Amino acid sequence: MKRRLRPYPAPATDPASANFVRGFVATGLLAALPSGAASATAPNAGKAILCQALQGGIALAAGGTAADALQRRDYRTTVVAVTGGAAAVVAVDYLLRKPARKDNKEKALGQEKA
């Protein structure tokens, strides 16, 4: 006689990580779709979309965490979530918008600079 298998319980998800994924996907789609024709030919279009998507995910995760903490009247967590989210958004902007190092002293046409 076969024994009936018990279903596994659904894995518990962290609300902050779930909010990050929601914000990442939603902001990425919003950044890519409305001006897709104009920005698709830009040289750094993918990098700009990635930057906006990461920032949107971070902002939504921080906002959700702050809202949950505010409902619990945990003001320290609220302040940490807001300041941490703001710092992460600025860090992503700095890291992804930083130009590449140019050690090459040649011009665009292959000629050396004087």
Side-chain angles (χ1 to χ4, degrees), residues 65-94:
T65 303
D68 291 341
L70 197 58
Q71 285 180 345
R72 293 189 317 264
R73 295 180 186 233
D74 183 6
Y75 301 116
R76 180 179 295 179
T77 303
T78 303
V79 171
V80 169
V82 171
T83 55
V89 166
V90 170
V92 165
D93 189 48
Y94 173 75

PDB file of all heavy atoms in Angstrom, residues 65-94:
ATOM      1  N   THR A  65       9.530  48.289   4.474  1.00  0.00           N
ATOM      2  CA  THR A  65      10.064  48.023   5.810  1.00  0.00           C
ATOM      3  C   THR A  65       9.755  49.175   6.761  1.00  0.00           C
ATOM      4  O   THR A  65       9.380  48.962   7.920  1.00  0.00           O
ATOM      5  CB  THR A  65      11.581  47.792   5.735  1.00  0.00           C
ATOM      6  OG1 THR A  65      11.841  46.709   4.843  1.00  0.00           O
ATOM      7  CG2 THR A  65      12.159  47.477   7.093  1.00  0.00           C
ATOM      8  N   ALA A  66       9.895  50.401   6.278  1.00  0.00           N
ATOM      9  CA  ALA A  66       9.603  51.564   7.112  1.00  0.00           C
ATOM     10  C   ALA A  66       8.122  51.622   7.465  1.00  0.00           C
ATOM     11  O   ALA A  66       7.757  51.940   8.608  1.00  0.00           O
ATOM     12  CB  ALA A  66      10.035  52.844   6.402  1.00  0.00           C
ATOM     13  N   ALA A  67       7.252  51.303   6.510  1.00  0.00           N
ATOM     14  CA  ALA A  67       5.812  51.330   6.784  1.00  0.00           C
ATOM     15  C   ALA A  67       5.422  50.275   7.811  1.00  0.00           C
ATOM     16  O   ALA A  67       4.624  50.544   8.717  1.00  0.00           O
ATOM     17  CB  ALA A  67       5.033  51.129   5.491  1.00  0.00           C
ATOM     18  N   ASP A  68       5.992  49.069   7.676  1.00  0.00           N
ATOM     19  CA  ASP A  68       5.701  48.017   8.653  1.00  0.00           C
ATOM     20  C   ASP A  68       6.204  48.400  10.046  1.00  0.00           C
ATOM     21  O   ASP A  68       5.523  48.176  11.048  1.00  0.00           O
ATOM     22  CB  ASP A  68       6.331  46.695   8.224  1.00  0.00           C
ATOM     23  CG  ASP A  68       5.667  46.112   6.990  1.00  0.00           C
ATOM     24  OD1 ASP A  68       4.529  46.518   6.674  1.00  0.00           O
ATOM     25  OD2 ASP A  68       6.298  45.254   6.338  1.00  0.00           O
ATOM     26  N   ALA A  69       7.397  48.970  10.098  1.00  0.00           N
ATOM     27  CA  ALA A  69       7.946  49.371  11.400  1.00  0.00           C
ATOM     28  C   ALA A  69       7.143  50.515  12.009  1.00  0.00           C
ATOM     29  O   ALA A  69       6.961  50.573  13.232  1.00  0.00           O
ATOM     30  CB  ALA A  69       9.407  49.778  11.237  1.00  0.00           C
ATOM     31  N   LEU A  70       6.662  51.399  11.177  1.00  0.00           N
ATOM     32  CA  LEU A  70       5.866  52.521  11.679  1.00  0.00           C
ATOM     33  C   LEU A  70       4.538  52.034  12.250  1.00  0.00           C
ATOM     34  O   LEU A  70       4.068  52.560  13.268  1.00  0.00           O
ATOM     35  CB  LEU A  70       5.631  53.533  10.558  1.00  0.00           C
ATOM     36  CG  LEU A  70       5.181  54.923  10.952  1.00  0.00           C
ATOM     37  CD1 LEU A  70       6.199  55.556  11.891  1.00  0.00           C
ATOM     38  CD2 LEU A  70       5.006  55.783   9.720  1.00  0.00           C
ATOM     39  N   GLN A  71       3.951  51.016  11.632  1.00  0.00           N
ATOM     40  CA  GLN A  71       2.710  50.445  12.176  1.00  0.00           C
ATOM     41  C   GLN A  71       2.943  49.791  13.527  1.00  0.00           C
ATOM     42  O   GLN A  71       2.059  49.809  14.389  1.00  0.00           O
ATOM     43  CB  GLN A  71       2.128  49.422  11.208  1.00  0.00           C
ATOM     44  CG  GLN A  71       1.465  50.037  10.006  1.00  0.00           C
ATOM     45  CD  GLN A  71       0.913  48.985   9.070  1.00  0.00           C
ATOM     46  OE1 GLN A  71       1.246  47.810   9.161  1.00  0.00           O
ATOM     47  NE2 GLN A  71       0.054  49.429   8.160  1.00  0.00           N
ATOM     48  N   ARG A  72       4.132  49.225  13.722  1.00  0.00           N
ATOM     49  CA  ARG A  72       4.463  48.608  15.011  1.00  0.00           C
ATOM     50  C   ARG A  72       4.976  49.642  16.019  1.00  0.00           C
ATOM     51  O   ARG A  72       5.326  49.286  17.130  1.00  0.00           O
ATOM     52  CB  ARG A  72       5.532  47.537  14.816  1.00  0.00           C
ATOM     53  CG  ARG A  72       5.097  46.332  14.038  1.00  0.00           C
ATOM     54  CD  ARG A  72       6.155  45.232  14.077  1.00  0.00           C
ATOM     55  NE  ARG A  72       7.516  45.737  13.887  1.00  0.00           N
ATOM     56  CZ  ARG A  72       8.171  45.766  12.724  1.00  0.00           C
ATOM     57  NH1 ARG A  72       7.581  45.335  11.632  1.00  0.00           N
ATOM     58  NH2 ARG A  72       9.400  46.217  12.648  1.00  0.00           N
ATOM     59  N   ARG A  73       5.084  50.887  15.610  1.00  0.00           N
ATOM     60  CA  ARG A  73       5.623  51.987  16.421  1.00  0.00           C
ATOM     61  C   ARG A  73       7.072  51.737  16.815  1.00  0.00           C
ATOM     62  O   ARG A  73       7.527  52.075  17.905  1.00  0.00           O
ATOM     63  CB  ARG A  73       4.765  52.219  17.658  1.00  0.00           C
ATOM     64  CG  ARG A  73       3.388  52.695  17.308  1.00  0.00           C
ATOM     65  CD  ARG A  73       2.547  52.911  18.537  1.00  0.00           C
ATOM     66  NE  ARG A  73       1.192  53.227  18.145  1.00  0.00           N
ATOM     67  CZ  ARG A  73       0.538  54.288  18.579  1.00  0.00           C
ATOM     68  NH1 ARG A  73       1.100  55.116  19.404  1.00  0.00           N
ATOM     69  NH2 ARG A  73      -0.690  54.497  18.181  1.00  0.00           N
ATOM     70  N   ASP A  74       7.798  51.143  15.866  1.00  0.00           N
ATOM     71  CA  ASP A  74       9.232  50.897  16.040  1.00  0.00           C
ATOM     72  C   ASP A  74       9.966  51.984  15.248  1.00  0.00           C
ATOM     73  O   ASP A  74      10.332  51.804  14.097  1.00  0.00           O
ATOM     74  CB  ASP A  74       9.583  49.500  15.531  1.00  0.00           C
ATOM     75  CG  ASP A  74      11.036  49.142  15.750  1.00  0.00           C
ATOM     76  OD1 ASP A  74      11.761  49.926  16.395  1.00  0.00           O
ATOM     77  OD2 ASP A  74      11.444  48.068  15.267  1.00  0.00           O
ATOM     78  N   TYR A  75      10.161  53.115  15.894  1.00  0.00           N
ATOM     79  CA  TYR A  75      10.676  54.290  15.189  1.00  0.00           C
ATOM     80  C   TYR A  75      12.153  54.151  14.821  1.00  0.00           C
ATOM     81  O   TYR A  75      12.591  54.702  13.819  1.00  0.00           O
ATOM     82  CB  TYR A  75      10.443  55.544  16.029  1.00  0.00           C
ATOM     83  CG  TYR A  75       8.965  55.751  16.317  1.00  0.00           C
ATOM     84  CD1 TYR A  75       8.469  55.703  17.606  1.00  0.00           C
ATOM     85  CD2 TYR A  75       8.077  55.962  15.280  1.00  0.00           C
ATOM     86  CE1 TYR A  75       7.121  55.869  17.861  1.00  0.00           C
ATOM     87  CE2 TYR A  75       6.727  56.135  15.513  1.00  0.00           C
ATOM     88  CZ  TYR A  75       6.255  56.094  16.802  1.00  0.00           C
ATOM     89  OH  TYR A  75       4.916  56.257  17.051  1.00  0.00           O
ATOM     90  N   ARG A  76      12.902  53.424  15.596  1.00  0.00           N
ATOM     91  CA  ARG A  76      14.312  53.223  15.274  1.00  0.00           C
ATOM     92  C   ARG A  76      14.455  52.450  13.955  1.00  0.00           C
ATOM     93  O   ARG A  76      15.243  52.825  13.094  1.00  0.00           O
ATOM     94  CB  ARG A  76      15.020  52.478  16.400  1.00  0.00           C
ATOM     95  CG  ARG A  76      16.483  52.249  16.112  1.00  0.00           C
ATOM     96  CD  ARG A  76      17.168  51.550  17.235  1.00  0.00           C
ATOM     97  NE  ARG A  76      17.156  52.432  18.416  1.00  0.00           N
ATOM     98  CZ  ARG A  76      17.655  52.107  19.571  1.00  0.00           C
ATOM     99  NH1 ARG A  76      18.207  50.943  19.763  1.00  0.00           N
ATOM    100  NH2 ARG A  76      17.612  52.948  20.579  1.00  0.00           N
ATOM    101  N   THR A  77      13.693  51.390  13.779  1.00  0.00           N
ATOM    102  CA  THR A  77      13.733  50.628  12.540  1.00  0.00           C
ATOM    103  C   THR A  77      13.234  51.464  11.372  1.00  0.00           C
ATOM    104  O   THR A  77      13.755  51.354  10.255  1.00  0.00           O
ATOM    105  CB  THR A  77      12.886  49.343  12.672  1.00  0.00           C
ATOM    106  OG1 THR A  77      13.371  48.594  13.783  1.00  0.00           O
ATOM    107  CG2 THR A  77      12.971  48.492  11.424  1.00  0.00           C
ATOM    108  N   THR A  78      12.255  52.319  11.609  1.00  0.00           N
ATOM    109  CA  THR A  78      11.764  53.204  10.556  1.00  0.00           C
ATOM    110  C   THR A  78      12.867  54.125  10.063  1.00  0.00           C
ATOM    111  O   THR A  78      13.088  54.253   8.850  1.00  0.00           O
ATOM    112  CB  THR A  78      10.580  54.044  11.074  1.00  0.00           C
ATOM    113  OG1 THR A  78       9.552  53.170  11.537  1.00  0.00           O
ATOM    114  CG2 THR A  78      10.035  54.948   9.987  1.00  0.00           C
ATOM    115  N   VAL A  79      13.576  54.742  10.996  1.00  0.00           N
ATOM    116  CA  VAL A  79      14.651  55.664  10.613  1.00  0.00           C
ATOM    117  C   VAL A  79      15.788  54.915   9.923  1.00  0.00           C
ATOM    118  O   VAL A  79      16.338  55.382   8.915  1.00  0.00           O
ATOM    119  CB  VAL A  79      15.151  56.443  11.855  1.00  0.00           C
ATOM    120  CG1 VAL A  79      16.398  57.239  11.540  1.00  0.00           C
ATOM    121  CG2 VAL A  79      14.061  57.355  12.375  1.00  0.00           C
ATOM    122  N   VAL A  80      16.131  53.747  10.425  1.00  0.00           N
ATOM    123  CA  VAL A  80      17.203  52.957   9.811  1.00  0.00           C
ATOM    124  C   VAL A  80      16.813  52.519   8.404  1.00  0.00           C
ATOM    125  O   VAL A  80      17.635  52.557   7.476  1.00  0.00           O
ATOM    126  CB  VAL A  80      17.555  51.742  10.698  1.00  0.00           C
ATOM    127  CG1 VAL A  80      18.452  50.765   9.974  1.00  0.00           C
ATOM    128  CG2 VAL A  80      18.211  52.205  11.988  1.00  0.00           C
ATOM    129  N   ALA A  81      15.567  52.126   8.203  1.00  0.00           N
ATOM    130  CA  ALA A  81      15.115  51.705   6.877  1.00  0.00           C
ATOM    131  C   ALA A  81      15.161  52.856   5.885  1.00  0.00           C
ATOM    132  O   ALA A  81      15.616  52.692   4.744  1.00  0.00           O
ATOM    133  CB  ALA A  81      13.711  51.123   6.953  1.00  0.00           C
ATOM    134  N   VAL A  82      14.714  54.023   6.297  1.00  0.00           N
ATOM    135  CA  VAL A  82      14.697  55.178   5.394  1.00  0.00           C
ATOM    136  C   VAL A  82      16.111  55.642   5.081  1.00  0.00           C
ATOM    137  O   VAL A  82      16.460  55.860   3.913  1.00  0.00           O
ATOM    138  CB  VAL A  82      13.857  56.326   6.000  1.00  0.00           C
ATOM    139  CG1 VAL A  82      14.007  57.601   5.188  1.00  0.00           C
ATOM    140  CG2 VAL A  82      12.392  55.920   6.062  1.00  0.00           C
ATOM    141  N   THR A  83      16.961  55.769   6.092  1.00  0.00           N
ATOM    142  CA  THR A  83      18.330  56.232   5.830  1.00  0.00           C
ATOM    143  C   THR A  83      19.139  55.172   5.082  1.00  0.00           C
ATOM    144  O   THR A  83      19.935  55.500   4.201  1.00  0.00           O
ATOM    145  CB  THR A  83      19.049  56.611   7.135  1.00  0.00           C
ATOM    146  OG1 THR A  83      19.011  55.510   8.034  1.00  0.00           O
ATOM    147  CG2 THR A  83      18.430  57.827   7.769  1.00  0.00           C
ATOM    148  N   GLY A  84      18.932  53.908   5.412  1.00  0.00           N
ATOM    149  CA  GLY A  84      19.627  52.843   4.685  1.00  0.00           C
ATOM    150  C   GLY A  84      19.185  52.769   3.239  1.00  0.00           C
ATOM    151  O   GLY A  84      19.998  52.561   2.333  1.00  0.00           O
ATOM    152  N   GLY A  85      17.902  52.932   2.993  1.00  0.00           N
ATOM    153  CA  GLY A  85      17.403  52.946   1.619  1.00  0.00           C
ATOM    154  C   GLY A  85      17.950  54.121   0.831  1.00  0.00           C
ATOM    155  O   GLY A  85      18.346  53.975  -0.330  1.00  0.00           O
ATOM    156  N   ALA A  86      17.982  55.283   1.457  1.00  0.00           N
ATOM    157  CA  ALA A  86      18.523  56.460   0.775  1.00  0.00           C
ATOM    158  C   ALA A  86      20.007  56.278   0.464  1.00  0.00           C
ATOM    159  O   ALA A  86      20.472  56.612  -0.635  1.00  0.00           O
ATOM    160  CB  ALA A  86      18.309  57.710   1.633  1.00  0.00           C
ATOM    161  N   ALA A  87      20.751  55.734   1.411  1.00  0.00           N
ATOM    162  CA  ALA A  87      22.182  55.500   1.182  1.00  0.00           C
ATOM    163  C   ALA A  87      22.408  54.465   0.082  1.00  0.00           C
ATOM    164  O   ALA A  87      23.310  54.616  -0.752  1.00  0.00           O
ATOM    165  CB  ALA A  87      22.846  55.040   2.479  1.00  0.00           C
ATOM    166  N   ALA A  88      21.587  53.439   0.049  1.00  0.00           N
ATOM    167  CA  ALA A  88      21.736  52.417  -0.991  1.00  0.00           C
ATOM    168  C   ALA A  88      21.392  52.959  -2.367  1.00  0.00           C
ATOM    169  O   ALA A  88      22.059  52.631  -3.359  1.00  0.00           O
ATOM    170  CB  ALA A  88      20.857  51.213  -0.662  1.00  0.00           C
ATOM    171  N   VAL A  89      20.381  53.801  -2.458  1.00  0.00           N
ATOM    172  CA  VAL A  89      20.022  54.407  -3.751  1.00  0.00           C
ATOM    173  C   VAL A  89      21.153  55.289  -4.246  1.00  0.00           C
ATOM    174  O   VAL A  89      21.524  55.256  -5.429  1.00  0.00           O
ATOM    175  CB  VAL A  89      18.697  55.198  -3.631  1.00  0.00           C
ATOM    176  CG1 VAL A  89      18.474  56.092  -4.828  1.00  0.00           C
ATOM    177  CG2 VAL A  89      17.534  54.237  -3.473  1.00  0.00           C
ATOM    178  N   VAL A  90      21.743  56.077  -3.355  1.00  0.00           N
ATOM    179  CA  VAL A  90      22.865  56.938  -3.741  1.00  0.00           C
ATOM    180  C   VAL A  90      24.075  56.093  -4.133  1.00  0.00           C
ATOM    181  O   VAL A  90      24.772  56.406  -5.104  1.00  0.00           O
ATOM    182  CB  VAL A  90      23.202  57.923  -2.597  1.00  0.00           C
ATOM    183  CG1 VAL A  90      24.496  58.657  -2.861  1.00  0.00           C
ATOM    184  CG2 VAL A  90      22.068  58.907  -2.402  1.00  0.00           C
ATOM    185  N   ALA A  91      24.315  55.011  -3.409  1.00  0.00           N
ATOM    186  CA  ALA A  91      25.457  54.143  -3.732  1.00  0.00           C
ATOM    187  C   ALA A  91      25.297  53.489  -5.100  1.00  0.00           C
ATOM    188  O   ALA A  91      26.254  53.410  -5.875  1.00  0.00           O
ATOM    189  CB  ALA A  91      25.619  53.074  -2.651  1.00  0.00           C
ATOM    190  N   VAL A  92      24.095  53.025  -5.415  1.00  0.00           N
ATOM    191  CA  VAL A  92      23.855  52.431  -6.735  1.00  0.00           C
ATOM    192  C   VAL A  92      24.061  53.477  -7.818  1.00  0.00           C
ATOM    193  O   VAL A  92      24.675  53.205  -8.854  1.00  0.00           O
ATOM    194  CB  VAL A  92      22.433  51.822  -6.802  1.00  0.00           C
ATOM    195  CG1 VAL A  92      22.017  51.528  -8.232  1.00  0.00           C
ATOM    196  CG2 VAL A  92      22.368  50.565  -5.973  1.00  0.00           C
ATOM    197  N   ASP A  93      23.568  54.681  -7.582  1.00  0.00           N
ATOM    198  CA  ASP A  93      23.751  55.752  -8.561  1.00  0.00           C
ATOM    199  C   ASP A  93      25.229  56.056  -8.768  1.00  0.00           C
ATOM    200  O   ASP A  93      25.687  56.213  -9.899  1.00  0.00           O
ATOM    201  CB  ASP A  93      23.007  57.012  -8.103  1.00  0.00           C
ATOM    202  CG  ASP A  93      22.989  58.082  -9.171  1.00  0.00           C
ATOM    203  OD1 ASP A  93      22.659  57.750 -10.324  1.00  0.00           O
ATOM    204  OD2 ASP A  93      23.304  59.243  -8.850  1.00  0.00           O
ATOM    205  N   TYR A  94      25.985  56.101  -7.696  1.00  0.00           N
ATOM    206  CA  TYR A  94      27.419  56.392  -7.798  1.00  0.00           C
ATOM    207  C   TYR A  94      28.168  55.271  -8.517  1.00  0.00           C
ATOM    208  O   TYR A  94      28.987  55.520  -9.396  1.00  0.00           O
ATOM    209  CB  TYR A  94      28.014  56.606  -6.406  1.00  0.00           C
ATOM    210  CG  TYR A  94      29.515  56.755  -6.416  1.00  0.00           C
ATOM    211  CD1 TYR A  94      30.105  57.928  -6.854  1.00  0.00           C
ATOM    212  CD2 TYR A  94      30.330  55.709  -6.005  1.00  0.00           C
ATOM    213  CE1 TYR A  94      31.485  58.069  -6.884  1.00  0.00           C
ATOM    214  CE2 TYR A  94      31.705  55.835  -6.030  1.00  0.00           C
ATOM    215  CZ  TYR A  94      32.277  57.020  -6.466  1.00  0.00           C
ATOM    216  OH  TYR A  94      33.643  57.135  -6.499  1.00  0.00           O
TER     217      TYR A  94
END
